[in-house]
């Protein structure tokens, strides 16, 4: 149980275009999902917290107009990188909390999406 | 500020041997949770083990166990009978009971040699 999927697993796009990444909780409901960014050989950096039915909460330094987050249902959150530039190239990982399980604090992670902006 | 420190950037161990990864954290809170996550070359983050701060008993999951020292704010991970598949980046993480944010350490890269 507690499986989180991400789509796509990798994407290459041209500079100036927008890219949408989906994060789904497959076998549980997640009122809260999280989006992280990971640079090579570094730890995970929290970008934003996605709450179902309300606006996302962004971490300091993360541009909310550039990284649009929509959490429209209890099993789906999307991250849209708008007007992508080469510096947005990175590995993006989502996670979700299973609120029905005894350990509601545990986050389960998706497999990640590698974004390359040319 | 709450921080998590992993002082060992890299570790290596021979197959079937035991290795311990260190983690210390800093918090003024009393109720929190600690985690070890594994990130193999596939980059999928996998939960290894979880510990509630209010529990004195150390968590164990098969070959993985922790040494939780609350007063010392230490949370080390012991891997027994190391296997080649244990080769990965290991992240220690902390979350306070009343917040959503996981705070990660910088990670320890573990290499298991045959």
């Amino acid at each position: 149980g507690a499986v989180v999927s991400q789509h796509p697993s990798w994407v290459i796009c041209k500079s100036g275009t927008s890219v949408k990444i989906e994060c789904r909780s497959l076998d549980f409901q997640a009122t809260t999902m999280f989006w992280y960014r990971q640079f090579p050989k570094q730890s995970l950096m929290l970008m934003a917290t996605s709450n179902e039915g309300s606006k996302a909460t962004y971490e300091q330094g993360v541009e909310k107009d550039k990284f649009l987050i929509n959490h429209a249902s209890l099993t789906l959150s999307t991250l849209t990188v708008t007007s992508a530039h080469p510096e947005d190239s990175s590995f993006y990982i989502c996670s979700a909390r299973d609120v029905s399980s005894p350990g509601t604090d545990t986050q389960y992670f998706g497999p990640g999406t590698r974004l390359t902006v040319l | 500020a709450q921080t998590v420190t992993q002082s060992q950037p890299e570790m290596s161990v021979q197959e079937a041997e035991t290795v311990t990864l260190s983690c210390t954290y800093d918090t003024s809170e009393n109720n929190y949770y600690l985690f070890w996550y594994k990130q193999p070359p596939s980059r999928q983050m996998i939960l290894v083990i979880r510990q509630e701060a209010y529990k004195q008993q150390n968590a164990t999951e098969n070959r993985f166990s922790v040494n939780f020292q609350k007063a010392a704010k230490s949370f080390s991970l012991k891997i027994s009978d190391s296997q080649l598949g244990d080769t990965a980046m290991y992240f220690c993480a902390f979350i306070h009971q009343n917040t959503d944010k996981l705070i990660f350490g910088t990670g320890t890269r573990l290499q298991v040699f045959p």
Side-chain angles (χ1 to χ4, degrees), chain A residues 24-25 29 40 45 48 53 58-60 75 78 91 97 112 116-117:
Chain A
R24 293 182 185 271
S25 55
Q29 293 185 330
M45 181 187 76
Y58 290 82
E59 294 300 298
Q60 191 172 10
T75 59
T78 60
F91 192 67
R97 286 177 57 188
T116 302
V117 184

Side-chain angles (χ1 to χ4, degrees), chain A residues 9-10 26 38 56 65 70 84 89 92:
Chain A
S9 56
W10 59 271
L26 298 185
Q38 187 179 32
D65 294 331
N70 185 7
S89 298
Y92 293 88

Side-chain angles (χ1 to χ4, degrees), chain B residues 13-17 38 63-64 79-88 90 110-113:
Chain B
V13 64
Q14 197 159 21
E15 200 175 7
E17 297 297 307
K38 165 185 176 181
R63 298 182 295 108
F64 300 88
I79 306 175
S80 304
D81 186 25
S82 297
Q83 300 177 359
L84 296 178
D86 295 334
T87 292
Y90 286 80
L110 176 67
Q111 179 74 51
V112 181
F113 291 97

Side-chain angles (χ1 to χ4, degrees), chain A residues 31-91:
Chain A
T31 54
T32 306
M33 291 184 173
F34 305 86
W35 288 96
Y36 295 85
R37 185 171 180 176
Q38 187 179 32
F39 292 102
K41 298 186 179 181
Q42 292 190 23
S43 188
L44 279 69
M45 181 187 76
L46 179 65
M47 298 175 65
T49 300
S50 170
N51 299 296
E52 188 267 336
S54 64
K55 291 183 179 180
T57 303
Y58 290 82
E59 294 300 298
Q60 191 172 10
V62 178
E63 298 177 59
K64 62 181 181 181
D65 294 331
K66 181 167 188 62
F67 298 100
L68 299 179
I69 291 172
N70 185 7
H71 193 155
S73 77
L74 287 173
T75 59
L76 172 65
S77 175
T78 60
L79 169 67
T80 301
V81 183
T82 63
S83 186
H85 290 282
E87 56 265 31
D88 299 324
S89 298
S90 192
F91 192 67

Side-chain angles (χ1 to χ4, degrees), chain A residues 27-29 97-104:
Chain A
D27 52 0
F28 65 98
Q29 293 185 330
R97 286 177 57 188
D98 180 0
V99 296
S100 66
S101 71
T104 59

